[in-house]
Amino acid sequence: MTHLNLRISRLPCLFHLLTGFYCPGCGGTRAIKLLLKGDLAGSFQYHPLVLYGLLIFGIECILFLAAFKRQGKTDKGSRFWLAGKQYCSGLEKRYRFWTLAATFIVLLNWLIKNIWLMAGIDLLPPLA
């Protein structure tokens, strides 16, 4: 039996190959790889959105559990009956904020990486 060993982190970015610049997602896979190894600084260097996503996931889990604990009983008439009303109030505004912040992080990261690249400094060296 043969196994297909696909190394996603070794696949080249088509945008980078064609233009010489990094795309907004460049470094994301390597950031996850470093995060799984426990290298937070390295993960942040390759793509800060990975740590941001982990942080937001943790915050939302805490808010959900706190609202569920306060609720005591589930309100089956509610649209999000499992989450509780306290968690759902302000949910759209909170998600809109998280999304806008993520968009800002991606754009800023993209600009910084490419400005440094034009100066001759590569912030995304291949992982060993």
Side-chain angles (χ1 to χ4, degrees):
M1 179 186 288
T2 60
H3 290 80
L4 179 62
N5 187 9
L6 180 62
R7 293 180 179 241
I8 295 175
S9 63
R10 306 243 180 202
L11 292 175
C13 173
L14 187 59
F15 183 84
H16 184 63
L17 284 174
L18 294 175
T19 65
F21 293 106
Y22 290 118
C23 77
C26 276
T29 304
R30 289 173 278 181
I32 292 171
K33 205 173 188 180
L34 289 171
L35 180 66
L36 292 174
K37 290 181 180 180
D39 184 0
L40 297 179
S43 179
F44 184 82
Q45 176 186 340
Y46 277 92
H47 212 299
L49 189 66
V50 171
L51 287 177
Y52 172 78
L54 187 63
L55 175 71
I56 297 311
F57 179 74
I59 290 171
E60 287 297 326
C61 284
I62 290 168
L63 290 173
F64 173 81
L65 291 174
F68 187 72
K69 187 175 180 181
R70 272 193 305 249
Q71 180 81 10
K73 300 179 203 174
T74 58
D75 178 14
K76 295 188 182 189
S78 175
R79 193 171 116 199
F80 299 105
W81 64 270
L82 183 61
K85 289 181 181 175
Q86 291 87 1
Y87 176 74
C88 292
S89 63
L91 189 68
E92 287 182 27
K93 285 191 336 188
R94 198 166 61 240
Y95 281 5
R96 191 175 302 125
F97 175 76
W98 297 143
T99 304
L100 287 173
T103 304
F104 177 75
I105 288 170
V106 168
L107 291 175
L108 185 64
N109 179 53
W110 182 54
L111 286 172
I112 289 171
K113 278 191 259 189
N114 285 312
I115 289 170
W116 281 97
L117 190 62
M118 286 188 293
I121 299 169
D122 189 2
L123 294 177
L124 300 180
L127 294 177

